[in-house]
Amino acid sequence: MAKNNNGSQLEGLRTEIGGLMQQDTNGKIEYLRKSITNEPDGGIDSINSVASDFDYFEYVRKLKKES
């Protein structure tokens, strides 16, 4: 039986979460993919670009309180 690779599933979940964060913040947080899913990337699949006038950590703390 073939061994499952959870990397693609986790990357897909991260893409979805990044898109929702981008929508929720009106583009203040932008999710940027660096490569396609199965391309060797050295462990870095994406980066977040955050507007200089936006407090990313406060946003995450607020999300944690609401959950």
Side-chain angles (χ1 to χ4, degrees):
M1 182 172 233
K3 184 176 179 181
N4 287 341
N5 180 355
N6 291 332
S8 296
Q9 289 177 326
L10 293 174
E11 192 172 330
L13 179 61
R14 178 68 180 109
T15 301
E16 187 172 343
I17 291 170
L20 292 171
M21 289 173 77
Q22 188 168 347
Q23 287 178 351
D24 188 42
T25 62
N26 292 318
K28 297 281 187 173
I29 298 173
E30 193 171 355
Y31 178 80
L32 306 169
R33 303 257 335 227
K34 292 189 65 93
S35 61
I36 61 173
T37 299
N38 294 322
E39 184 177 319
D41 54 25
I44 300 173
D45 298 324
S46 64
I47 58 172
N48 284 342
S49 174
V50 181
S52 61
D53 65 341
F54 187 79
D55 188 343
Y56 177 82
F57 295 104
E58 181 60 34
Y59 173 73
V60 172
R61 281 190 287 272
K62 180 183 166 209
L63 289 177
K64 287 180 178 182
K65 281 183 182 178
E66 292 177 358
S67 61

